[in-house]
Amino acid sequence: MITRVLTVAGSDSGGGAGIQADLKTMLALGVHGMSVLTAVTAQNSLGVQGAWELPVDAVRAQYRSVVDDIGVQAVKTGMLSSAELVETVAELISGTDAPAVVDPVGVSKHGDPLLAASALDSVRTRLLPVATVATPNLDEVAQLTGVRAESEQDLRRAAAAVLEFGPRWVLIKGGHLSGDAVDLLTDGSEEHLLRAPRYDNRHTHGTGCTLASAIACGLARGRSVPEAVTAAKAYVTGAIAAGFALGAGIGPVDHGWALRRDTP
Ligand code: PXL
């Protein structure tokens, strides 16, 4: 049977991030993508104009429909919006025999909130403990742990603070620092410093969703965490290099970059 990956995340109507980024990534990487919608955003290249959460029962029902019949080989989480949804999703994941990639989404690229401040404690104490890999950026690390990393040397301290909450692995994304795009992957004993060139391209909407989904695709295929993360970083780096203008603001990464061969 085809490899199956589930994303539990919010909709980005502009198609660059959220559920749409996740499903495009899964298609590009050759797996069958499935989705549990947690919230709907009205969104474009300029920002988020509105957001509406789904009821907990609707999230639970979607999850059970997919997992109980089709089955999943990895789960990825993104925008979860409220404490109630964070706790529901954490409980659902803990009852599922598949690796989970948790992208602890706090705000959008434009700074619009995608998670209530009142949900932070549920992320720390319920969601992070069920993660196989957590993928915070430096703003999310600061929000969750109080550690403010300002240079490559600070990444190790940031990772240690997140690991305290119990994820098996953490990938600290240093993309908001200057210089190369450097991320640190560690489980507290092994360390992998992943370095990619910084492309001079402002069209980077959806990078976090894309990276976390690509990691989930690798894990679903049975790759180790370091192998899955290394391959995912190469995929997202190519997608950033190929990011394109859309609307009047920040355009998306190109999820199809590796598929495109001289087609219009
Ligand atoms: O990148 C975080 C993210 C997650 N989910 C949704 C989003 C965004 C960023 O814009 O729109 C729905």
Side-chain angles (χ1 to χ4, degrees):
M1 203 188 288
I2 190 167
T3 302
R4 290 144 289 149
V5 180
L6 174 64
T7 169
V8 181
S11 167
D12 168 6
S13 54
I19 286 277
Q20 289 80 1
D22 298 341
L23 293 175
K24 291 176 192 183
T25 298
M26 292 170 194
L27 179 70
L29 298 181
V31 310
H32 177 65
M34 299 172 286
S35 57
V36 167
L37 229 68
T38 56
V40 174
T41 69
Q43 186 170 177
N44 56 26
S45 72
L46 298 172
V48 176
Q49 289 83 40
W52 298 266
E53 261 165 56
L54 263 71
V56 166
D57 285 352
V59 170
R60 197 186 292 281
Q62 293 174 79
Y63 192 97
R64 290 265 63 91
S65 291
V66 170
V67 172
D68 294 347
D69 171 46
I70 301 169
V72 298
Q73 289 156 299
V75 180
K76 175 255 166 184
T77 70
M79 174 185 181
L80 296 176
S81 200
S82 70
E84 214 182 1
L85 285 178
V86 169
E87 291 176 17
T88 300
V89 171
E91 179 202 313
L92 290 166
I93 287 174
S94 73
T96 306
D97 184 20
V101 181
V102 169
D103 186 17
V105 171
V107 299
S108 80
K109 189 73 77 198
H110 291 92
D112 308 289
L114 300 173
L115 181 76
S118 57
L120 281 174
D121 218 44
S122 304
V123 172
R124 294 183 190 105
T125 62
R126 309 287 277 276
L127 188 60
L128 289 177
V130 301
T132 308
V133 194
T135 63
N137 62 32
L138 296 181
D139 295 326
E140 290 155 357
V141 170
Q143 207 176 28
L144 290 166
T145 70
V147 172
R148 291 186 181 282
E150 276 157 10
S151 70
E152 216 174 295
Q153 287 67 42
D154 294 339
L155 296 178
R156 184 180 278 175
R157 197 161 49 87
V162 177
L163 285 174
E164 296 249 316
F165 292 113
R168 195 104 48 81
W169 290 81
V170 66
L171 177 68
I172 304 289
K173 299 180 291 193
H176 293 173
L177 298 174
S178 54
D180 286 348
V182 178
D183 307 326
L184 176 65
L185 173 70
T186 177
D187 64 353
S189 54
E190 271 179 53
E191 277 186 4
H192 303 261
L193 201 61
L194 306 168
R195 187 177 293 276
R198 174 172 305 276
Y199 289 103
D200 182 22
N201 184 353
R202 63 191 289 262
H203 303 301
T204 55
H205 183 55
T207 46
C209 308
T210 301
L211 178 67
S213 290
I215 296 169
C217 292
L219 296 181
R221 289 186 187 283
R223 289 184 177 161
S224 68
V225 169
E227 285 169 345
V229 170
T230 302
K233 170 101 169 157
Y235 170 69
V236 82
T237 300
I240 291 168
F244 52 94
L246 209 60
I250 298 177
V253 302
D254 183 354
H255 298 98
W257 72 273
L259 303 172
R260 204 149 293 133
R261 297 275 186 277
D262 301 314
T263 49

